[in-house]
Amino acid sequence: MKHITTWSGLDAALKGASVAMGNFDGVHRGHQAVIDAARRPDMPLGIVTFEPHPRQVFAPDAPPFRLMNAEARSNRLAKLGVAFLYELPFTRDLASLTPEDFARQVLAEGLGIKHVVVGADFCFGKGRAGTAQTLREDGKRFGFEVTIQPLVGGDEGAISSTAIRAALGDGRVRDAADMLGHYHRIDGEVLHGEKRGRALGYPTANMAVEGLHLPKLGVYAVKVEVLSGEHRGFYDGVASLGVRPMFGENTPNFEVHLFDFTGDLYGQHLSVALVEYLRSEAKFDGLDALIAQMDADSEQARAILING
């Protein structure tokens, strides 16, 4: 997958795509339907999206809401067979373009798209004045086809990032996975931590979660893909998402223990799938009680992951 971060001065080889356009936060089943509708046998498949998320520009002090960081979104889109990821820098200058100017300057002249698919609720341009229908009219003028994809429904209505956030916040990771079409994942680089887990017999890979909507704090059974380095591959494990009350800390942290693994993962990139919520955070009466609970968590997680 080619990762393109501009819409001007592109080589002809990076143009002529059939694209799906949107923010694709979570790349859920509704997003996947939009992407599937963009697949054409005679055109490369592309994605037009924005970084940072527009809400981060217009409401920078709002609580974290993203289901995925840009790295996780890119990893998921690559797995769906996307050839061109047009990840456009979202600035106030871009946001100030009228819908007509965006369609002409960015989509037609800049990216040279031939076909674009958007969801029925898609809005774009200054003041979100453009709609899916006005984009279709712009496409007729500027030389690209527009497909409007109906919203995808689930058991309780339209699938949305908002509904997925609610499920994750309740610890209902299976419900979230049903709406996503895949397990919810936290992706990122392994950072140096306090190394307490190693001393307890449970070495962990520590990952940042700043800027993300946090699932329910607690312990999870997880499946881990190591995306880089000599240990690249797939592993089962257990992870803790929380503020580590046992050690008096208050900044959320994500710590992942890979079963039956030895090696150094610092600086490598992981993609961690939350398979099932095991329990909430707790403070224990001493390290022996903590280790006993970690043993129990690992045994429970192994059983869950073996049985799928």
Side-chain angles (χ1 to χ4, degrees):
M1 183 178 74
K2 294 187 182 299
H3 189 182
I4 302 145
T5 58
T6 182
W7 51 271
S8 62
L10 295 187
D11 187 88
L14 299 177
K15 296 185 177 183
S18 174
V19 305
M21 184 162 60
N23 290 310
F24 299 105
D25 186 26
V27 195
H28 57 58
R29 284 171 47 205
H31 297 146
Q32 292 166 43
V34 175
I35 294 167
D36 286 342
R39 298 182 191 275
R40 294 289 180 90
D42 56 340
M43 302 177 195
L45 174 63
I47 296 291
V48 176
T49 190
F50 309 94
E51 187 62 31
H53 191 291
R55 196 187 305 179
Q56 291 174 264
V57 174
F58 292 119
D61 297 326
F65 66 91
R66 290 184 68 158
L67 293 169
M68 283 180 161
N69 58 23
E71 179 180 347
R73 181 176 60 189
S74 177
N75 291 339
R76 176 53 52 181
L77 292 171
K79 290 180 182 295
L80 296 179
V82 172
F84 299 155
L85 172 58
Y86 303 106
E87 191 177 79
L88 306 184
F90 191 83
T91 63
R92 291 191 177 273
D93 286 342
L94 183 65
S96 69
L97 292 177
T98 66
E100 179 180 348
D101 285 344
F102 179 86
R104 176 174 56 82
Q105 296 178 25
V106 177
L107 299 181
E109 298 173 355
L111 303 181
I113 65 166
K114 298 300 183 185
H115 174 228
V116 60
V117 183
V118 294
D121 60 349
F122 181 74
C123 294
F124 70 106
K126 185 177 181 179
R128 293 173 57 83
T131 66
Q133 187 57 47
T134 59
L135 182 63
R136 174 175 283 168
E137 295 166 3
D138 289 334
K140 292 176 181 177
R141 285 189 290 163
F142 302 131
F144 57 85
E145 181 186 355
V146 175
T147 297
I148 301 173
Q149 178 66 27
L151 300 181
V152 173
D155 293 338
E156 298 182 3
I159 292 173
S160 68
S161 297
T162 299
I164 294 165
R165 289 186 199 102
L168 291 171
D170 292 340
R172 295 182 287 111
V173 293
R174 300 277 186 174
D175 290 345
D178 286 343
M179 290 184 279
L180 286 164
H182 53 85
Y183 290 123
H184 177 67
R185 289 179 173 270
I186 296 174
D187 290 23
E189 182 180 357
V190 178
L191 307 173
H192 286 275
E194 298 296 330
K195 299 180 174 60
R196 294 192 185 104
R198 182 180 302 175
L200 299 174
Y202 283 90
T204 59
N206 295 271
M207 299 166 63
V209 290
E210 284 85 1
L212 295 178
H213 169 82
L214 293 183
K216 186 175 182 180
L217 301 186
V219 178
Y220 291 83
V222 298
K223 288 186 174 292
V224 182
E225 182 178 1
V226 180
L227 299 169
S228 59
E230 63 179 309
H231 301 293
R232 189 170 186 159
F234 297 87
Y235 304 85
D236 289 346
V238 63
S240 174
L241 175 64
V243 296
R244 295 169 287 184
M246 185 71 183
F247 301 101
E249 306 202 15
N250 57 18
T251 301
N253 188 58
F254 190 52
E255 299 177 283
V256 186
H257 173 70
L258 281 61
F259 296 146
D260 309 315
F261 175 85
T262 56
D264 185 352
L265 290 174
Y266 293 122
Q268 305 306 322
H269 286 248
L270 308 186
S271 179
V272 183
L274 305 186
V275 176
E276 191 157 310
Y277 183 78
L278 302 183
R279 64 171 177 85
S280 61
E281 285 195 293
K283 189 171 183 178
F284 298 92
D285 294 328
L287 294 181
D288 288 343
L290 172 60
I291 294 170
Q293 183 61 60
M294 293 166 72
D295 291 342
D297 294 338
S298 296
E299 182 178 353
Q300 184 183 2
R302 285 181 186 272
I304 289 169
L305 296 169
I306 288 173
N307 295 323

